[in-house]
C-alpha cells in the first residue's frame, strides 16, 4: 500500500511540474493587468516580456503587498505563478486578452473602448501602464 501511495505521489509531482513556460504558449498574456476588488482596492498581475513577473495588492493607491518575481507558466487554460503553485497563485483563463469594442463595466472594473482586457476566474482584468 505504501508503494502505491509513493508512486501516485511521484506521478502527481512529475505531472504538476510539467508546465509550459508562458512565452512558449502565448505572448498575448504579456502585460500589466488590474482587477478592482473594491472602490480603492485592486489586484495587479504583471507579466513581463521575458515571461517573469509578480503580483501586487493595492489599497488606496499604495502597494499593500507584493510577491517576489517568478516565472509564469501555462497549463491548459490555467495561468500559474511559478511551477509549484499554491492557493491564489493560479488563475483559470476564461477569455484570453482581447480589445473592448465598447465600454465595459463589471462591478468596480471599467474597461474603456479600445482597451485590452482579460478574464481570469470570472474577473475582468484591464491592461494598465
Amino acid at each position: 500500500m505504501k508503494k502505491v501511495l509513493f508512486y501516485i505521489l511521484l506521478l502527481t509531482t512529475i505531472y504538476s511540474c510539467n508546465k509550459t513556460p508562458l512565452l512558449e504558449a502565448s505572448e498575448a498574456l504579456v502585460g500589466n493587468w488590474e482587477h478592482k476588488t473594491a472602490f480603492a482596492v485592486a489586484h495587479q498581475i504583471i507579466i513581463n516580456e521575458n515571461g517573469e513577473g509578480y503580483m501586487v495588492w493595492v489599497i488606496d493607491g499604495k502597494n499593500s503587498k507584493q510577491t517576489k518575481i517568478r516565472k509564469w507558466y501555462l497549463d491548459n487554460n490555467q495561468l500559474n505563478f511559478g511551477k509549484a503553485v499554491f492557493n491564489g497563485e493560479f488563475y483559470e483563463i476564461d477569455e484570453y486578452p482581447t480589445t473592448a469594442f465598447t465600454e465595459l463595466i463589471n462591478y468596480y472594473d471599467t474597461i474603456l473602448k479600445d482597451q485590452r482586457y482579460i478574464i481570469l476566474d470570472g474577473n475582468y482584468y484591464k491592461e494598465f501602464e
Side-chain angles (χ1 to χ4, degrees), residues 33-89:
W33 307 99
E34 180 179 64
H35 165 64
K36 292 199 175 221
T37 55
F39 177 71
V41 181
H43 175 242
Q44 298 175 344
I45 296 173
I46 288 75
I47 304 173
N48 298 322
E49 291 180 358
N50 64 359
E52 295 179 343
Y54 55 96
M55 294 185 287
V56 180
W57 288 262
V58 179
I59 299 175
D60 293 327
K62 298 178 184 173
N63 292 3
S64 68
K65 181 177 157 185
Q66 181 173 324
T67 64
K68 292 182 178 182
I69 294 174
R70 287 193 259 171
K71 281 200 169 281
W72 287 96
Y73 292 89
L74 202 58
D75 186 21
N76 292 323
N77 275 339
Q78 185 172 308
L79 179 63
N80 297 292
F81 185 52
K83 276 199 172 189
V85 294
F86 303 98
N87 191 22
E89 295 184 342

Side-chain angles (χ1 to χ4, degrees), residues 22-34:
L22 179 72
L23 295 181
E24 289 181 22
S26 174
E27 291 183 16
L29 295 167
V30 171
N32 299 332
W33 307 99
E34 180 179 64

Side-chain angles (χ1 to χ4, degrees), residues 97-116:
T98 189
T99 302
F101 293 111
T102 62
E103 183 178 87
L104 300 171
I105 298 174
N106 187 267
Y107 299 106
Y108 294 101
D109 293 308
T110 300
I111 299 155
L112 303 175
K113 180 183 177 191
D114 297 329
Q115 186 173 31
R116 282 185 359 127

